[in-house]
Coordinates of all heavy atoms in Angstrom, one line a residue:
F21 N 26.6 -28.2 -14.7 CA 25.9 -27.8 -15.9 C 26.1 -26.3 -16.1 O 25.9 -25.5 -15.2 CB 24.5 -28.2 -15.7 CG 23.4 -27.6 -16.4 CD1 22.6 -28.3 -17.2 CD2 23.1 -26.2 -16.3 CE1 21.5 -27.8 -17.9 CE2 22.1 -25.7 -17.0 CZ 21.3 -26.5 -17.7
L22 N 26.7 -26.0 -17.2 CA 27.0 -24.6 -17.6 C 26.2 -24.2 -18.8 O 26.2 -24.9 -19.7 CB 28.5 -24.5 -17.8 CG 29.1 -23.2 -18.4 CD1 29.1 -22.1 -17.3 CD2 30.5 -23.4 -18.9
F23 N 25.6 -23.0 -18.7 CA 25.0 -22.5 -19.9 C 25.5 -21.1 -20.2 O 25.7 -20.3 -19.3 CB 23.5 -22.6 -19.9 CG 22.8 -21.8 -18.8 CD1 22.6 -20.5 -18.9 CD2 22.3 -22.5 -17.7 CE1 22.0 -19.8 -17.9 CE2 21.7 -21.8 -16.7 CZ 21.5 -20.5 -16.8
I24 N 25.6 -20.8 -21.5 CA 26.0 -19.5 -21.9 C 25.1 -19.1 -23.1 O 25.0 -19.9 -24.0 CB 27.5 -19.4 -22.4 CG1 28.4 -19.8 -21.2 CG2 27.8 -18.1 -22.9 CD1 29.8 -20.0 -21.6
I25 N 24.5 -17.9 -23.0 CA 23.7 -17.5 -24.1 C 24.2 -16.1 -24.5 O 24.3 -15.2 -23.6 CB 22.2 -17.4 -23.7 CG1 21.7 -18.8 -23.5 CG2 21.4 -16.7 -24.8 CD1 20.2 -18.9 -23.2
L26 N 24.4 -15.9 -25.8 CA 24.9 -14.6 -26.3 C 23.9 -14.1 -27.3 O 23.5 -14.8 -28.2 CB 26.2 -14.7 -26.9 CG 27.4 -15.2 -26.0 CD1 28.6 -15.4 -26.8 CD2 27.6 -14.3 -24.9
S27 N 23.4 -12.9 -27.1 CA 22.6 -12.3 -28.1 C 23.3 -11.0 -28.5 O 24.4 -10.8 -28.1 CB 21.2 -12.0 -27.5 OG 21.2 -10.9 -26.7
F28 N 22.6 -10.2 -29.3 CA 23.3 -9.0 -29.8 C 23.7 -8.1 -28.7 O 24.7 -7.5 -28.7 CB 22.4 -8.3 -30.8 CG 22.2 -9.1 -32.1 CD1 21.0 -9.6 -32.4 CD2 23.2 -9.3 -33.0 CE1 20.8 -10.3 -33.5 CE2 23.1 -10.1 -34.1 CZ 21.8 -10.6 -34.4
A29 N 22.9 -8.0 -27.7 CA 23.2 -7.0 -26.6 C 23.5 -7.6 -25.3 O 23.9 -6.9 -24.4 CB 21.9 -6.1 -26.5
F30 N 23.4 -8.9 -25.1 CA 23.5 -9.5 -23.8 C 24.4 -10.7 -23.8 O 24.5 -11.4 -24.8 CB 22.2 -10.0 -23.3 CG 21.1 -8.9 -23.2 CD1 20.2 -8.8 -24.2 CD2 21.1 -8.1 -22.1 CE1 19.2 -7.8 -24.1 CE2 20.2 -7.1 -22.1 CZ 19.2 -6.9 -23.0
S31 N 25.1 -11.0 -22.7 CA 25.7 -12.3 -22.4 C 25.1 -12.7 -21.1 O 25.1 -12.0 -20.1 CB 27.2 -12.3 -22.4 OG 27.7 -11.6 -21.3
V32 N 24.5 -13.9 -21.1 CA 23.9 -14.5 -19.9 C 24.5 -15.8 -19.6 O 24.7 -16.6 -20.5 CB 22.4 -14.7 -20.2 CG1 21.7 -15.3 -19.0 CG2 21.7 -13.4 -20.6
Y33 N 25.0 -16.0 -18.4 CA 25.6 -17.2 -18.1 C 25.4 -17.6 -16.6 O 25.1 -16.8 -15.8 CB 27.1 -17.2 -18.4 CG 27.8 -16.0 -17.7 CD1 28.4 -16.2 -16.5 CD2 27.9 -14.8 -18.3 CE1 29.1 -15.1 -15.8 CE2 28.5 -13.7 -17.6 CZ 29.1 -13.9 -16.4 OH 29.7 -12.9 -15.8
S34 N 25.5 -18.9 -16.4 CA 25.3 -19.4 -15.0 C 26.0 -20.7 -14.9 O 26.2 -21.5 -15.8 CB 23.8 -19.6 -14.8 OG 23.6 -20.2 -13.5
I35 N 26.4 -21.0 -13.7 CA 26.9 -22.4 -13.3 C 25.8 -22.9 -12.3 O 25.6 -22.4 -11.2 CB 28.3 -22.3 -12.7 CG1 29.3 -21.7 -13.7 CG2 28.7 -23.7 -12.2 CD1 30.6 -21.5 -13.2
D36 N 25.1 -23.9 -12.8 CA 23.8 -24.3 -12.1 C 24.0 -24.7 -10.6 O 23.2 -24.3 -9.8 CB 23.3 -25.6 -12.8 CG 21.9 -25.9 -12.4 OD1 21.1 -24.9 -12.1 OD2 21.5 -27.0 -12.4
Y37 N 25.1 -25.3 -10.3 CA 25.3 -25.7 -8.9 C 25.4 -24.5 -7.9 O 25.3 -24.6 -6.7 CB 26.5 -26.6 -8.7 CG 27.8 -26.1 -9.1 CD1 28.6 -25.3 -8.3 CD2 28.3 -26.4 -10.4 CE1 29.8 -24.9 -8.7 CE2 29.5 -25.9 -10.8 CZ 30.3 -25.2 -10.0 OH 31.5 -24.7 -10.4
E38 N 25.7 -23.3 -8.5 CA 25.8 -22.1 -7.6 C 24.4 -21.4 -7.6 O 24.2 -20.6 -6.7 CB 26.8 -21.1 -8.2 CG 28.2 -21.6 -8.1 CD 29.2 -20.5 -8.6 OE1 28.8 -19.5 -9.0 OE2 30.4 -20.8 -8.6
G39 N 23.6 -21.7 -8.6 CA 22.2 -21.1 -8.6 C 22.2 -19.6 -8.8 O 21.4 -18.9 -8.4
I40 N 23.2 -19.1 -9.5 CA 23.4 -17.7 -9.8 C 23.3 -17.4 -11.3 O 24.0 -18.1 -12.1 CB 24.7 -17.1 -9.2 CG1 24.7 -17.2 -7.7 CG2 24.8 -15.6 -9.6 CD1 26.0 -16.8 -7.1
L41 N 22.5 -16.5 -11.7 CA 22.4 -16.1 -13.1 C 23.1 -14.8 -13.3 O 22.8 -13.8 -12.6 CB 20.9 -15.9 -13.5 CG 20.7 -15.4 -15.0 CD1 20.9 -16.6 -15.9 CD2 19.3 -14.9 -15.1
S42 N 24.1 -14.7 -14.2 CA 24.9 -13.5 -14.4 C 24.5 -12.9 -15.8 O 24.4 -13.7 -16.7 CB 26.4 -13.8 -14.3 OG 26.7 -14.3 -13.1
V43 N 24.3 -11.6 -15.8 CA 24.0 -11.0 -17.1 C 24.9 -9.8 -17.3 O 25.1 -9.0 -16.3 CB 22.5 -10.5 -17.0 CG1 22.2 -9.7 -18.3 CG2 21.6 -11.6 -16.8
K44 N 25.5 -9.7 -18.5 CA 26.2 -8.5 -18.9 C 25.6 -7.9 -20.1 O 25.1 -8.6 -21.0 CB 27.7 -8.9 -19.2 CG 28.5 -9.3 -18.0 CD 29.9 -9.6 -18.4 CE 30.7 -10.0 -17.2 NZ 32.1 -10.3 -17.6
S45 N 25.5 -6.6 -20.2 CA 24.8 -5.9 -21.3 C 25.6 -4.7 -21.8 O 26.3 -4.1 -21.0 CB 23.5 -5.5 -20.8 OG 22.8 -4.7 -21.8
A46 N 25.4 -4.4 -23.0 CA 26.0 -3.2 -23.6 C 25.2 -2.0 -23.2 O 25.7 -0.8 -23.2 CB 26.1 -3.3 -25.1
E47 N 23.9 -2.2 -22.8 CA 23.1 -1.1 -22.3 C 22.8 -1.3 -20.8 O 23.0 -2.4 -20.3 CB 21.7 -1.2 -23.0 CG 21.8 -1.1 -24.5 CD 20.4 -1.4 -25.1 OE1 19.4 -1.3 -24.4 OE2 20.4 -1.6 -26.4
E48 N 22.5 -0.3 -20.1 CA 22.2 -0.3 -18.7 C 21.0 -1.2 -18.4 O 19.9 -1.0 -19.0 CB 22.0 1.1 -18.2 CG 21.9 1.2 -16.7 CD 21.8 2.6 -16.2 OE1 20.6 3.1 -16.1 OE2 22.8 3.2 -15.9
I49 N 21.2 -2.2 -17.5 CA 20.1 -3.1 -17.2 C 19.2 -2.4 -16.1 O 19.7 -2.0 -15.1 CB 20.7 -4.4 -16.6 CG1 21.6 -5.1 -17.7 CG2 19.6 -5.4 -16.2 CD1 22.4 -6.2 -17.1
K50 N 17.9 -2.4 -16.3 CA 17.0 -1.9 -15.4 C 16.4 -2.9 -14.5 O 16.2 -2.8 -13.3 CB 15.9 -1.1 -16.1 CG 16.3 0.1 -16.9 CD 16.9 1.1 -15.9 CE 17.2 2.4 -16.7 NZ 17.8 3.4 -15.8
S51 N 16.0 -4.1 -15.1 CA 15.3 -5.1 -14.3 C 15.5 -6.5 -15.0 O 15.7 -6.5 -16.2 CB 13.8 -4.9 -14.1 OG 13.2 -4.8 -15.3
I52 N 15.4 -7.6 -14.2 CA 15.5 -8.9 -14.7 C 14.4 -9.7 -14.0 O 14.2 -9.6 -12.8 CB 16.9 -9.6 -14.4 CG1 17.9 -8.8 -15.2 CG2 16.9 -11.0 -14.8 CD1 19.3 -9.3 -14.9
F53 N 13.7 -10.5 -14.8 CA 12.6 -11.4 -14.3 C 13.0 -12.8 -14.9 O 13.2 -12.9 -16.0 CB 11.2 -11.0 -14.8 CG 10.8 -9.6 -14.2 CD1 11.1 -8.5 -14.9 CD2 10.2 -9.5 -13.0 CE1 10.8 -7.2 -14.5 CE2 9.9 -8.3 -12.5 CZ 10.1 -7.1 -13.2
V54 N 12.9 -13.8 -14.0 CA 13.2 -15.2 -14.4 C 12.0 -16.0 -14.1 O 11.5 -16.0 -12.9 CB 14.5 -15.7 -13.7 CG1 14.8 -17.1 -14.2 CG2 15.7 -14.8 -13.9
Y55 N 11.5 -16.8 -15.1 CA 10.3 -17.6 -15.0 C 10.7 -19.1 -15.3 O 11.6 -19.3 -16.1 CB 9.3 -17.2 -16.0 CG 8.8 -15.8 -15.8 CD1 9.5 -14.8 -16.5 CD2 7.7 -15.5 -15.0 CE1 9.1 -13.4 -16.4 CE2 7.3 -14.1 -14.9 CZ 8.0 -13.1 -15.6 OH 7.6 -11.8 -15.4
N56 N 10.1 -20.0 -14.6 CA 10.2 -21.4 -15.0 C 9.3 -21.7 -16.2 O 8.6 -20.9 -16.6 CB 10.1 -22.4 -13.8 CG 8.7 -22.4 -13.3 OD1 7.7 -21.9 -13.9 ND2 8.5 -22.9 -12.1
I57 N 9.3 -23.0 -16.7 CA 8.6 -23.4 -17.8 C 7.1 -23.2 -17.6 O 6.3 -23.0 -18.5 CB 8.9 -24.8 -18.3 CG1 8.3 -25.1 -19.7 CG2 8.6 -25.8 -17.3 CD1 8.9 -24.2 -20.8
S58 N 6.6 -23.3 -16.3 CA 5.2 -23.2 -16.0 C 4.7 -21.7 -16.0 O 3.6 -21.4 -15.8 CB 4.8 -23.8 -14.7 OG 5.6 -24.8 -14.3
G59 N 5.7 -20.8 -16.1 CA 5.3 -19.4 -16.0 C 5.4 -18.8 -14.7 O 5.0 -17.6 -14.4
T60 N 5.9 -19.6 -13.7 CA 6.0 -19.1 -12.3 C 7.2 -18.2 -12.2 O 8.3 -18.6 -12.6 CB 6.1 -20.3 -11.3 OG1 4.9 -21.1 -11.5 CG2 6.2 -19.8 -9.9
L61 N 7.1 -17.0 -11.6 CA 8.2 -16.1 -11.4 C 9.1 -16.8 -10.3 O 8.6 -17.0 -9.2 CB 7.7 -14.8 -11.0 CG 8.8 -13.7 -10.7 CD1 9.5 -13.4 -12.0 CD2 8.1 -12.5 -10.1
I62 N 10.4 -17.0 -10.6 CA 11.3 -17.6 -9.6 C 12.3 -16.6 -9.1 O 12.9 -16.9 -8.0 CB 11.9 -18.9 -10.1 CG1 12.7 -18.6 -11.4 CG2 10.9 -20.0 -10.4 CD1 13.6 -19.8 -11.8
A63 N 12.5 -15.6 -9.8 CA 13.5 -14.6 -9.4 C 13.2 -13.2 -10.1 O 12.8 -13.2 -11.2 CB 14.9 -15.0 -9.6
N64 N 13.5 -12.2 -9.4 CA 13.4 -10.9 -10.1 C 14.3 -9.9 -9.3 O 14.5 -9.9 -8.1 CB 12.0 -10.3 -10.2 CG 11.4 -10.0 -8.9 OD1 11.6 -10.6 -7.9 ND2 10.7 -8.9 -8.9
D65 N 14.9 -9.0 -10.1 CA 15.7 -7.9 -9.6 C 15.2 -6.6 -10.4 O 15.1 -6.7 -11.6 CB 17.2 -8.1 -9.8 CG 17.8 -8.9 -8.7 OD1 17.4 -8.8 -7.6 OD2 18.8 -9.6 -9.0
S66 N 15.0 -5.6 -9.6 CA 14.6 -4.3 -10.3 C 15.5 -3.2 -9.8 O 16.1 -3.3 -8.7 CB 13.1 -4.0 -10.2 OG 12.8 -4.0 -8.8
D67 N 15.4 -2.1 -10.4 CA 16.3 -0.9 -10.0 C 17.7 -1.3 -10.0 O 18.5 -0.9 -9.1 CB 15.8 -0.3 -8.7 CG 14.4 0.2 -8.7 OD1 14.0 0.7 -9.8 OD2 13.7 0.1 -7.7
I68 N 18.2 -2.0 -11.0 CA 19.6 -2.5 -11.1 C 20.5 -1.3 -11.5 O 21.5 -1.0 -10.9 CB 19.7 -3.7 -12.0 CG1 18.9 -4.8 -11.5 CG2 21.2 -4.1 -12.2 CD1 18.7 -6.0 -12.4
N69 N 20.2 -0.7 -12.7 CA 20.9 0.5 -13.2 C 22.4 0.2 -13.3 O 23.2 1.0 -12.8 CB 20.6 1.7 -12.3 CG 19.2 2.1 -12.3 OD1 18.5 1.9 -13.3 ND2 18.7 2.4 -11.1
S70 N 22.8 -0.9 -13.9 CA 24.2 -1.3 -14.1 C 24.3 -2.0 -15.5 O 23.3 -2.5 -16.0 CB 24.6 -2.2 -13.0 OG 25.9 -2.6 -13.1
L71 N 25.5 -2.2 -15.9 CA 25.8 -3.0 -17.1 C 26.0 -4.5 -16.8 O 26.0 -5.3 -17.7 CB 27.0 -2.5 -17.9 CG 27.0 -1.0 -18.4 CD1 28.3 -0.6 -19.0 CD2 25.9 -0.8 -19.4
E72 N 26.0 -4.8 -15.6 CA 26.3 -6.2 -15.2 C 25.6 -6.5 -13.8 O 25.5 -5.6 -13.0 CB 27.8 -6.3 -14.9 CG 28.3 -7.7 -14.7 CD 29.8 -7.7 -14.6 OE1 30.5 -6.9 -15.3 OE2 30.3 -8.5 -13.9
C73 N 25.0 -7.7 -13.7 CA 24.3 -8.0 -12.5 C 24.3 -9.5 -12.3 O 24.5 -10.3 -13.2 CB 22.9 -7.4 -12.4 SG 21.8 -8.2 -13.5
Q74 N 24.0 -10.0 -11.1 CA 23.8 -11.4 -10.7 C 22.5 -11.5 -10.0 O 22.2 -10.7 -9.1 CB 25.0 -11.9 -9.9 CG 26.3 -11.9 -10.7 CD 27.4 -12.5 -9.9 OE1 27.4 -12.4 -8.6 NE2 28.4 -13.1 -10.5
T75 N 21.8 -12.6 -10.3 CA 20.5 -12.8 -9.7 C 20.5 -14.3 -9.2 O 20.8 -15.2 -10.0 CB 19.4 -12.6 -10.7 OG1 19.4 -11.3 -11.2 CG2 18.0 -12.9 -10.1
L76 N 20.0 -14.5 -8.0 CA 19.9 -15.8 -7.4 C 18.7 -16.5 -8.0 O 17.6 -16.0 -7.9 CB 19.8 -15.7 -5.9 CG 19.8 -17.0 -5.1 CD1 21.1 -17.8 -5.4 CD2 19.6 -16.8 -3.7
I77 N 18.9 -17.7 -8.7 CA 17.8 -18.4 -9.3 C 17.6 -19.7 -8.5 O 16.6 -20.5 -8.8 CB 18.0 -18.7 -10.8 CG1 19.3 -19.4 -11.1 CG2 18.0 -17.4 -11.5 CD1 19.5 -19.8 -12.5
G78 N 18.4 -20.1 -7.6 CA 18.2 -21.3 -6.8 C 18.4 -22.5 -7.6 O 19.1 -22.6 -8.6
D79 N 17.8 -23.6 -7.2 CA 18.0 -24.9 -7.8 C 16.9 -25.2 -8.7 O 16.0 -26.0 -8.4 CB 18.1 -26.0 -6.6 CG 18.4 -27.4 -7.2 OD1 19.0 -27.5 -8.3 OD2 18.1 -28.3 -6.5
N80 N 16.9 -24.6 -9.9 CA 15.9 -24.8 -10.9 C 16.4 -25.4 -12.1 O 17.3 -24.9 -12.8 CB 15.3 -23.4 -11.3 CG 14.4 -22.8 -10.2 OD1 13.3 -23.3 -10.0 ND2 15.0 -21.9 -9.4
D81 N 15.9 -26.6 -12.4 CA 16.4 -27.4 -13.6 C 15.4 -27.1 -14.7 O 14.3 -26.7 -14.5 CB 16.3 -28.9 -13.3 CG 17.4 -29.3 -12.2 OD1 18.5 -28.6 -12.2 OD2 17.2 -30.2 -11.5
G82 N 15.9 -27.4 -15.9 CA 15.0 -27.3 -17.1 C 15.1 -25.9 -17.7 O 15.9 -25.1 -17.4
L83 N 14.1 -25.6 -18.5 CA 14.0 -24.4 -19.3 C 13.6 -23.2 -18.4 O 12.7 -23.3 -17.6 CB 13.0 -24.5 -20.4 CG 12.7 -23.3 -21.3 CD1 13.9 -23.0 -22.1 CD2 11.5 -23.5 -22.1
L84 N 14.4 -22.1 -18.5 CA 14.0 -20.9 -17.8 C 13.8 -19.8 -18.9 O 14.5 -19.8 -19.9 CB 15.2 -20.5 -16.9 CG 15.5 -21.4 -15.7 CD1 16.7 -20.9 -15.0 CD2 14.3 -21.6 -14.8
I85 N 12.9 -18.9 -18.6 CA 12.7 -17.8 -19.5 C 13.2 -16.5 -18.7 O 12.8 -16.3 -17.6 CB 11.2 -17.6 -19.8 CG1 10.5 -18.9 -20.3 CG2 10.9 -16.4 -20.7 CD1 11.1 -19.4 -21.6
V86 N 14.1 -15.8 -19.3 CA 14.6 -14.6 -18.7 C 14.2 -13.4 -19.5 O 14.4 -13.3 -20.7 CB 16.2 -14.7 -18.7 CG1 16.8 -13.5 -18.0 CG2 16.6 -16.0 -18.0
K87 N 13.6 -12.4 -18.8 CA 13.2 -11.2 -19.4 C 14.1 -10.1 -18.8 O 14.1 -9.9 -17.6 CB 11.7 -10.9 -19.0 CG 11.2 -9.6 -19.6 CD 9.7 -9.4 -19.1 CE 9.2 -8.1 -19.5 NZ 7.8 -7.9 -18.9
I88 N 14.8 -9.4 -19.7 CA 15.7 -8.4 -19.3 C 15.3 -7.0 -19.9 O 15.1 -6.9 -21.1 CB 17.1 -8.7 -19.9 CG1 17.6 -10.1 -19.4 CG2 18.1 -7.6 -19.5 CD1 18.8 -10.6 -20.1
Q89 N 15.1 -6.1 -19.0 CA 14.7 -4.7 -19.5 C 15.9 -3.8 -19.3 O 16.5 -3.7 -18.3 CB 13.6 -4.2 -18.7 CG 13.1 -2.8 -19.1 CD 12.0 -2.3 -18.3 OE1 11.5 -2.9 -17.4 NE2 11.5 -1.1 -18.7
T90 N 16.3 -3.1 -20.4 CA 17.3 -2.1 -20.4 C 16.7 -0.8 -20.6 O 15.5 -0.6 -20.7 CB 18.4 -2.4 -21.5 OG1 17.8 -2.2 -22.7 CG2 19.0 -3.8 -21.4
T91 N 17.6 0.2 -20.7 CA 17.2 1.6 -20.9 C 16.3 1.7 -22.2 O 15.3 2.4 -22.2 CB 18.4 2.5 -21.0 OG1 19.3 2.2 -19.9 CG2 18.0 4.0 -20.9
D92 N 16.7 1.0 -23.2 CA 16.1 1.2 -24.5 C 15.3 0.0 -25.0 O 14.6 0.1 -26.1 CB 17.2 1.5 -25.6 CG 17.9 2.8 -25.3 OD1 17.3 3.7 -24.8 OD2 19.1 2.8 -25.5
S93 N 15.4 -1.2 -24.4 CA 14.7 -2.4 -24.9 C 14.3 -3.4 -23.9 O 14.7 -3.3 -22.7 CB 15.6 -3.0 -26.0 OG 16.8 -3.5 -25.4
I94 N 13.5 -4.4 -24.3 CA 13.2 -5.5 -23.5 C 13.5 -6.7 -24.3 O 13.1 -6.8 -25.5 CB 11.7 -5.5 -23.1 CG1 11.4 -4.3 -22.2 CG2 11.4 -6.9 -22.4 CD1 9.9 -4.2 -21.9
E95 N 14.3 -7.7 -23.8 CA 14.6 -8.9 -24.5 C 14.2 -10.1 -23.6 O 14.3 -10.1 -22.4 CB 16.1 -9.0 -24.8 CG 16.5 -10.2 -25.5 CD 17.5 -10.0 -26.6 OE1 17.9 -8.8 -26.9 OE2 18.0 -11.0 -27.1
V96 N 13.7 -11.1 -24.3 CA 13.3 -12.4 -23.6 C 14.1 -13.5 -24.2 O 14.2 -13.7 -25.4 CB 11.8 -12.7 -23.8 CG1 11.4 -14.0 -23.2 CG2 10.9 -11.6 -23.3
L97 N 14.8 -14.2 -23.3 CA 15.7 -15.3 -23.7 C 15.3 -16.6 -23.0 O 14.8 -16.6 -21.9 CB 17.2 -15.0 -23.2 CG 17.8 -13.6 -23.6 CD1 19.1 -13.4 -22.9 CD2 18.0 -13.6 -25.1
K98 N 15.5 -17.7 -23.7 CA 15.3 -19.0 -23.2 C 16.6 -19.6 -22.8 O 17.6 -19.5 -23.6 CB 14.6 -19.9 -24.3 CG 13.3 -19.5 -24.7 CD 12.7 -20.4 -25.7 CE 11.4 -19.9 -26.3 NZ 11.0 -20.8 -27.4
I99 N 16.7 -20.1 -21.6 CA 17.9 -20.7 -21.1 C 17.6 -22.2 -20.7 O 16.6 -22.5 -20.0 CB 18.4 -20.0 -19.8 CG1 18.7 -18.5 -20.2 CG2 19.6 -20.7 -19.2 CD1 19.2 -17.7 -19.1
Y100 N 18.4 -23.1 -21.2 CA 18.2 -24.5 -20.9 C 19.2 -25.0 -19.9 O 20.3 -24.6 -19.8 CB 18.4 -25.3 -22.2 CG 17.5 -25.0 -23.3 CD1 17.8 -24.0 -24.2 CD2 16.2 -25.6 -23.3 CE1 16.9 -23.7 -25.2 CE2 15.3 -25.2 -24.3 CZ 15.7 -24.3 -25.3 OH 14.8 -23.9 -26.2

């Protein structure tokens, strides 16, 4: 199962069987928080300070909510 989400500032992609969420941004990424549909925090990375990062999300099926904080903004994305 492969998902790709593109927004104006981000590309977010993952291959589910690896359990890794990859994010690329035009702005420097400061932190990433990943929640399941119940609102439980399943992964977070902070002090990233890079345009690209990978976060281990494990074996989580269904809808995920990804909150990405950059130098200038915060964006929340839904990933199926």
Side-chain angles (χ1 to χ4, degrees):
F21 157 120
L22 171 71
F23 61 79
I24 299 174
I25 294 186
L26 301 173
S27 73
F28 294 111
F30 303 98
S31 71
V32 178
Y33 55 93
S34 174
I35 299 175
D36 193 35
Y37 59 84
E38 291 181 2
I40 297 173
L41 177 74
S42 299
V43 179
K44 291 184 181 179
S45 173
E47 300 174 15
E48 188 174 87
I49 300 167
K50 296 294 186 184
S51 63
I52 295 177
F53 297 90
V54 182
Y55 302 89
N56 64 16
I57 190 66
S58 332
T60 303
L61 180 66
I62 59 170
N64 70 319
D65 276 329
S66 54
D67 297 325
I68 298 169
N69 302 320
S70 176
L71 298 178
E72 189 174 327
C73 72
Q74 294 185 331
T75 301
L76 184 63
I77 59 173
D79 187 19
N80 288 284
D81 292 330
L83 178 70
L84 298 177
I85 308 298
V86 180
K87 179 181 172 184
I88 304 168
Q89 180 179 3
T90 67
T91 313
D92 298 325
S93 65
I94 295 175
E95 181 142 351
V96 178
L97 305 170
K98 295 178 188 176
I99 298 177
Y100 300 93

